Amino acid sequence: MIDRRTLAFFVLSSVFFGGTFVAAKAGLEYFPPLLFVAIRFDVAALVMLGYVALTVSGDDLLPETRGDVVGILATGVLVIGLANALLFVGQQYATSAVGAIVFSLNPILTPVFAAVLLSDERLSRRGAVGMGLGLLGVALVVSPDPAALLGGDAIGRAILFGGAISAALGAVLIRRAGSTATLSSTVRIAWGLPLAAALCHGFAYSTGESMAAISWTTEALVALGYVSVIAGVLAYIAYFGLLEATEATTANLIFYVVPVVSTLGGWAILDETIAPSAIAGFLTIFVGFAVIGSDSIDVRSRLPGLTAGATTPEDAACVTEEPRGYRSD
């Protein structure tokens, strides 16, 4: 039975992350996309560094190993910086619901990189089926039309997909460096946010975006406040609290809920609609997630009748060994 604290973390993570796509879409009316994400991380970095300074001892703040450095770089450059830069640029051409659905492919894409970069993880048959269903779901969401293949919507979805790839690759690199890492995930994020901010400011400068193009309205400040503090700090705190309170498979169920929150938020706040094919795509992705998630659940060990016939320690080990279709930190 899930306890109230775990349930609270789950709900907060889902709602906070889901609202990111709605706030990003709304804020793009007032901010150039790369400056929007850069300023977002400026604010988030200040808040997160203050939080870490108050809650973490000084001895636990400094990176000590190569794994720490690799983890910080993967977090700041790939998981936070590049992934969100592509997200905010891609959101110019897609609804918040489509952005959330495409971006929620992290659990589907991660096994691909894990199979290549992590020697102790291989994609099982069930994991491969789940990944295939997830990719089919993406095809339904994107709804490729040969006549409009080069249109704005297709380009936007491709950019969003690139962001999902960046986040998945970064997550696997963090996992690969984890054996020698000493920093907590919260401290790693505190290091990664300023790095992500600098990266996005560099992107904004190189593309000619200017602060003069920002329209500092009340709506702009609300959107910036949400993506900076709510989605940039509190969502991460709630998510990592969820990871500490329950198993990773359960925690990753938030990826099923985030697109629903974004869809409802986009409909209620931005008057967005979503095509039936995209809804079918979301359901297909959900099935893919479920298949991959079930591959990490030891069903047989929970059914004593199935283990009763195991007559040797080797037989019992084969029954209770955890498959490796997908595993997250």
Side-chain angles (χ1 to χ4, degrees):
M1 182 69 178
I2 189 170
D3 60 71
R4 292 183 180 180
R5 181 171 178 270
T6 302
L7 179 61
F9 280 142
F10 184 93
V11 172
L12 291 175
S13 300
S14 302
V15 172
F16 289 165
F17 279 129
T20 302
F21 299 88
V22 180
K25 185 68 175 179
L28 287 169
E29 295 289 330
Y30 311 98
F31 293 89
L34 294 171
L35 266 179
F36 189 16
V37 70
I39 296 172
R40 170 199 183 185
F41 290 141
D42 289 338
V43 177
L46 291 174
V47 175
M48 182 64 90
L49 288 171
Y51 171 79
V52 168
L54 293 175
T55 59
V56 180
S57 65
D59 294 338
D60 297 326
L61 292 176
L62 297 178
E64 299 178 354
T65 66
R66 181 176 178 273
D68 288 333
V69 175
V70 172
I72 290 172
L73 290 174
T75 298
V77 174
L78 295 174
V79 177
I80 299 180
L82 182 58
N84 280 275
L86 293 172
L87 163 62
F88 277 56
V89 172
Q91 281 271 229
Q92 296 177 104
Y93 310 102
T95 66
S96 55
V98 169
I101 292 171
V102 175
F103 217 75
S104 68
L105 283 172
N106 293 353
I108 296 291
L109 295 170
T110 300
V112 177
F113 295 112
V116 175
L117 298 174
L118 301 178
S119 60
D120 62 340
E121 293 191 24
R122 291 292 182 268
L123 193 64
S124 68
R125 291 181 180 177
R126 189 180 301 176
V129 170
M131 185 181 67
L133 287 171
L135 294 178
L136 174 61
V138 175
L140 291 172
V141 171
V142 175
S143 301
D145 180 359
L149 189 59
L150 299 179
D153 287 350
I155 293 174
R157 293 167 187 176
I159 293 172
L160 289 165
F161 188 61
I165 291 174
S166 177
L169 174 59
V172 172
L173 291 175
I174 291 170
R175 188 183 307 169
R176 184 177 184 179
S179 60
T180 60
T182 62
L183 295 178
S184 69
S185 57
T186 302
V187 173
R188 188 175 64 243
I189 292 170
W191 278 98
L193 280 170
L195 183 60
L199 180 69
C200 292
H201 276 293
F203 288 154
Y205 178 80
S206 65
T207 57
E209 292 187 0
S210 169
M211 294 288 288
I214 299 175
S215 178
W216 292 104
T217 65
T218 301
E219 291 82 1
L221 292 174
V222 170
L224 178 62
Y226 186 96
V227 299
S228 301
V229 179
I230 305 298
V233 176
L234 297 183
Y236 284 117
I237 293 174
Y239 176 64
F240 286 112
L242 178 63
L243 283 175
E244 293 176 356
T246 188
E247 59 187 21
T249 300
T250 302
N252 279 340
L253 289 173
I254 68 166
F255 290 108
Y256 309 162
V257 184
V258 164
V260 177
V261 174
S262 298
T263 301
L264 295 176
W267 169 76
I269 299 174
L270 304 177
D271 295 324
E272 293 180 345
T273 59
I274 185 168
S277 62
I279 296 176
F282 166 70
L283 294 175
T284 306
I285 293 171
F286 180 90
V287 173
F289 284 158
V291 171
I292 289 177
S294 68
D295 207 17
S296 63
I297 298 175
D298 182 10
V299 177
R300 293 194 172 191
S301 68
R302 300 182 182 183
L303 299 175
L306 292 178
T307 60
T311 58
T312 68
E314 291 77 9
D315 292 337
C318 291
V319 170
T320 59
E321 182 180 2
E322 180 181 352
R324 291 178 177 174
Y326 170 69
R327 186 179 71 230
S328 65
D329 293 331

